[in-house]
Amino acid sequence: MKKLLILFVALFSIVGTMPGNAASQRTAPAREQKTKRNIMELPLFERAVLIIKKFETLHKPNHWPYVGYGHQVQPGEPYLRGVQLTEAQADALLRKDYAKFCSMYEKYGKDKVLLS
């Protein structure tokens, strides 16, 4: 009987230290909260880029002449029909386009981000 009790205690102690158990899952969100950032901590331009990326989504090749995050391909641009941009390329193109539109509305101060 004593051996059986020791076996159960050893088994429960091993199960309690495994990564998939309920006890370790309760502590995981606490660690994640330390690494998550609030969107309001970001600069206004970065917030706008995140919001555009969330609602515009990355265009597929069948959405031609739109590529990336809503960029309409203009004559002379190097984008090819049927080729999808990578996440990094689409992000760079979005930032370039958005900065261009922000400069168009520069005279409106902080509202340029909203107008763009």
Side-chain angles (χ1 to χ4, degrees):
M1 183 70 172
K2 197 173 193 180
K3 288 182 181 180
L4 190 58
L5 182 61
I6 292 172
L7 179 66
F8 279 124
V9 169
L11 182 63
F12 285 126
S13 65
I14 291 171
V15 170
T17 59
M18 293 179 76
N21 69 14
S24 67
Q25 290 175 354
R26 282 193 303 263
T27 59
R31 282 179 281 174
E32 290 175 13
Q33 288 176 352
K34 291 180 184 177
T35 59
K36 284 187 179 179
R37 291 184 62 187
N38 187 348
I39 191 171
M40 298 307 285
E41 295 174 10
L42 297 173
L44 199 52
F45 184 88
E46 294 299 321
R47 279 187 260 169
V49 167
L50 284 177
I51 291 168
I52 291 168
K53 287 172 80 170
K54 177 178 174 64
F55 290 103
E56 184 65 38
T57 67
L58 192 59
H59 285 282
K60 305 284 184 225
N62 61 337
H63 294 136
W64 184 262
Y66 295 97
V67 295
Y69 293 103
H71 174 81
Q72 185 175 11
V73 178
Q74 301 298 315
E77 288 185 325
Y79 306 109
L80 301 174
R81 183 183 205 115
V83 177
Q84 183 174 355
L85 298 181
T86 65
E87 173 72 28
Q89 290 171 327
D91 185 72
L93 182 60
L94 170 64
R95 289 172 186 279
K96 179 182 149 201
D97 284 349
Y98 195 65
K100 179 179 74 175
F101 289 122
C102 281
S103 68
M104 286 173 51
Y105 295 108
E106 190 68 41
K107 64 182 176 182
Y108 295 102
K110 279 174 52 174
D111 291 338
K112 69 181 178 188
V113 175
L114 181 61
L115 294 169
S116 299

